[in-house]
Amino acid sequence: MQKIPVVLIRGDGIGPEIADAVVQIFDAADVPIEWIEKEAGLSCIPSCPSGLPEETIEAIRTYRVALKGPTTTPVGRGHRSVNVALRKALDLYANVRPARTLPGVPTRYPNIDLIVVRENVEDTYIGIEYFQTPDVAQGLKLISRPGSTKIVRYAFELARSLGRRRVVAVHKANIHKLTDGLFLECFREVAREYPDIEIGDLIVDNCSMQLVTRPEQFDVLVMPNLYGDIISDLCAGLVGGLGVAPGGNIGDHYAVFEAVHGSAPDIAGKGIANPTALLLSGLQLLRHLGLAMHALVIERALHRTLEEGIKTRDLGGTATTEAFTAAIIERLEIIQLPEEEQKTHPMNLGAIPLRYHRPAEVRCVGVDVFLEHPGATFPELPQQVGSLQFVALTNRGTRLSLDEPATVLLVDHYRARYQTADGSAVEDDHIVALLQQLTSSGIRWMHVEKLFELDGHRGFSTEG
Ligand code: NAI
């Protein structure tokens, strides 16, 4: 069988030890992979201060698939996270984390077999944050229609290819009505194209509670970035912790598989690291490549090893990394796979058809001005500037009654809303005139948000 080139990044800390274990097991199982070794993380510093050499990114662009060991991110200084940089450079928009009960690994609940599909690029992770005033920091939560469509479609395709029955969207659309509301709308639209798959949706707090009371009910879960970050670690905890939690970062063209855990500097070099999470990530990679039979052979050997009580210390055993690896290799048995088990994860979905919404009419019907005003009194604002009338003043989302003293804690960050009295469109020069008036009244404003109506539908929140 012709060998498939796959980029291998051993990483640092325990990375090289657990990567060696995976390479040995794959070799023993005759997996037809040729490793293309590249570096990232501490091992390539100081020659590459970013920790991610261009050569490594280029290799993944060429060979499309990589297995990556953990890499250390220095705290407060040094290079940024190699993982975040890779996700952005290769547009790896889907983070796929299976959580499955393993035999021999004690957990509170049996029979967990779910997959968390986390959007990997958007949400609060776009990293756009500002100090608006000395006392108030703001971060943007950005959810897009194309980005949500992509991740939801990926989740449905994954479910279908793995014979999964149900996909549940996790959100907080009761509070984040526009952002999470858009995610949910995309979920419902895409779901119509998959009538063979059951759907559901759950608010993230309820989902968390149900995950720790009845986790066996879940199949595939799809969610925006921040909820996915938290929920997927919760799910890792349900099935035995970081040592057994695999993951894949997948885009239209490239895929990087890696364990959820980090470089574990506390145990690096001691020969006691658990290679299971990276091995399971490697099995995800094999299925991604269509090598389902090799994945099953290795998975069965891993299960037998654990069942027989051969485990590393983090799982309550005494085996070293080397002994655990050797035990898995001893238990490899070539099997003939029944046809239905040969189903594989799609290699890639190619360019996913996206949804863009182009309303026939977009009208600006007002403006929110964010301004700084320290102290216990309210800012004094002009009631009318041109066609724009003052409508409301809020502080941390609470609407203030200007005739009475505040009954809430006031911070130095206010939002003043202005709209036209007759609902007519607001032009840019009306807004400029308002800002000039505020400036000349000595009011320090930080930014403005235009209030849009899209085909007559309000595109801004009226609460808060
Ligand atoms: P960590 O996941 O490296 O370690 C947390 C705890 O779990 C430690 O006690 C460690 O010994 C244990 N542990 C983790 N993996 C294990 C394994 N395979 N076998 C046995 N025990 C294991 O998290 P920590 O300490 O917060 O991060 C260390 C470094 O790793 C940091 O620089 C962090 O930025 C980086 N990191 C890298 C990731 C990646 O490359 N994918 C992901 C997460 C963190």
Side-chain angles (χ1 to χ4, degrees):
M1 196 171 182
Q2 207 189 348
K3 291 197 168 182
I4 304 170
V6 173
V7 175
L8 175 67
I9 300 165
R10 287 176 190 269
D12 50 63
I14 59 168
E17 300 164 50
I18 56 175
D20 273 352
V22 174
V23 169
Q24 281 177 41
I25 295 166
F26 276 26
D27 277 352
D30 276 335
V31 174
I33 277 182
E34 177 196 350
W35 298 111
I36 313 289
E37 291 218 28
K38 294 290 163 195
E39 280 190 281
L42 292 183
S43 60
C44 49
I45 301 225
S47 62
C48 174
S50 71
L52 183 59
E54 195 48 44
E55 194 192 326
T56 302
I57 300 180
E58 264 320 301
I60 304 175
R61 288 208 174 103
T62 305
Y63 301 109
R64 292 172 167 250
V65 184
L67 182 67
K68 177 183 166 296
T71 46
T72 304
T73 309
V75 178
R77 67 191 158 79
H79 63 272
R80 67 177 179 156
S81 157
V82 167
N83 300 314
V84 174
L86 266 180
R87 270 175 222 168
K88 292 197 182 222
L90 302 170
D91 195 15
L92 305 173
Y93 65 87
N95 184 222
V96 181
R97 292 206 200 166
R100 194 171 171 199
T101 318
L102 286 168
V105 177
T107 51
R108 267 172 214 277
Y109 300 97
N111 307 326
I112 298 172
D113 184 10
L114 59 84
I115 303 177
V116 175
V117 180
R118 163 189 172 191
E119 200 287 325
N120 224 4
V121 181
E122 302 191 341
D123 202 350
T124 50
Y125 288 67
I126 53 172
I128 303 182
E129 296 192 322
Y130 307 93
F131 261 97
Q132 289 270 312
T133 69
D135 282 344
V136 175
Q138 178 204 48
L140 281 190
K141 172 178 166 100
L142 198 136
I143 302 279
S144 78
R145 192 183 305 272
S148 302
T149 310
K150 240 175 146 160
I151 192 67
V152 167
R153 190 178 294 281
Y154 183 84
F156 277 101
E157 287 291 331
L158 180 75
R160 194 178 261 176
S161 76
L162 297 177
R164 299 274 181 158
R165 289 216 308 274
R166 188 154 198 264
V167 179
V168 168
V170 180
H171 59 88
K172 189 79 188 171
N174 55 330
I175 302 295
H176 298 305
K177 292 185 195 297
L178 300 192
T179 47
D180 285 12
L182 176 60
F183 184 84
L184 190 55
E185 182 188 318
C186 295
F187 174 77
R188 289 183 176 143
E189 263 181 42
V190 172
R192 282 193 216 117
E193 295 166 38
Y194 297 85
D196 49 318
I197 295 174
E198 281 176 42
I199 59 162
D201 74 87
L202 272 179
I203 292 175
V204 62
D205 33 354
N206 181 13
C207 176
S208 312
M209 191 270 290
Q210 294 205 34
L211 274 167
V212 296
T213 51
R214 283 200 309 127
E216 67 288 346
Q217 67 175 300
F218 290 104
D219 199 349
V220 175
L221 297 159
V222 61
M223 60 199 84
N225 209 338
L226 178 61
Y227 312 140
D229 194 0
I230 300 164
I231 293 282
S232 54
D233 267 30
L234 187 160
C235 293
L238 287 175
V239 295
L242 285 177
V244 296
N249 296 294
I250 297 167
D252 283 343
H253 307 291
Y254 315 109
V256 176
F257 296 85
E258 64 177 341
V260 170
H261 64 72
S263 56
D266 51 336
I267 57 164
K270 296 187 178 162
I272 56 169
N274 184 356
T276 303
L278 190 65
L279 182 61
L280 290 172
S281 311
L283 301 188
Q284 253 180 285
L285 179 151
L286 292 184
R287 293 188 167 110
H288 183 83
L289 292 174
L291 298 169
M293 198 179 76
H294 291 89
L296 194 73
V297 166
I298 296 170
E299 191 170 61
R300 287 187 179 178
L302 168 69
H303 288 183
R304 281 185 54 197
T305 307
L306 294 168
E307 257 162 4
E308 288 173 33
I310 305 168
K311 293 186 267 190
T312 45
R313 273 213 246 160
D314 56 308
L315 297 181
T318 54
T320 59
T321 313
E322 202 182 334
F324 183 68
T325 306
I328 295 173
I329 291 173
E330 271 168 34
R331 285 159 185 76
L332 289 169
E333 264 177 31
I334 302 307
I335 45 162
Q336 206 48 48
L337 199 62
E339 208 174 309
E340 69 273 13
E341 285 188 50
Q342 291 195 28
K343 278 189 196 143
T344 60
H345 184 294
M347 173 60 201
N348 73 57
L349 304 179
I352 289 183
L354 299 180
R355 276 163 212 273
Y356 297 92
H357 179 51
R358 292 283 166 265
E361 192 194 25
V362 178
R363 263 159 49 87
C364 178
V365 296
V367 64
D368 280 349
V369 184
F370 291 80
L371 47 99
E372 181 185 343
H373 180 79
T377 58
F378 300 143
E380 284 189 22
L381 297 165
Q383 288 300 304
Q384 177 124 21
V385 178
S387 64
L388 285 169
Q389 273 189 346
F390 172 77
V391 178
L393 185 69
T394 61
N395 191 288
R396 292 195 301 166
T398 302
R399 194 168 173 148
L400 302 167
S401 170
L402 299 186
D403 307 329
E404 296 158 26
T407 53
V408 293
L409 169 70
L410 295 177
V411 299
D412 57 1
H413 179 270
Y414 288 82
R415 183 188 66 169
R417 175 161 292 180
Y418 284 84
Q419 286 184 276
T420 52
D422 57 2
S424 58
V426 175
E427 303 297 336
D428 284 357
D429 50 355
H430 301 164
I431 299 173
V432 172
L434 172 66
L435 295 177
Q436 276 170 344
Q437 169 86 48
L438 292 174
T439 302
S440 58
S441 312
I443 290 173
R444 186 185 163 259
W445 53 271
M446 289 81 68
H447 84 267
V448 294
E449 291 285 348
K450 291 181 178 177
L451 309 180
F452 289 113
E453 272 182 9
L454 314 168
D455 282 342
H457 294 289
R458 206 184 290 123
F460 52 92
S461 58
T462 50
E463 295 165 17

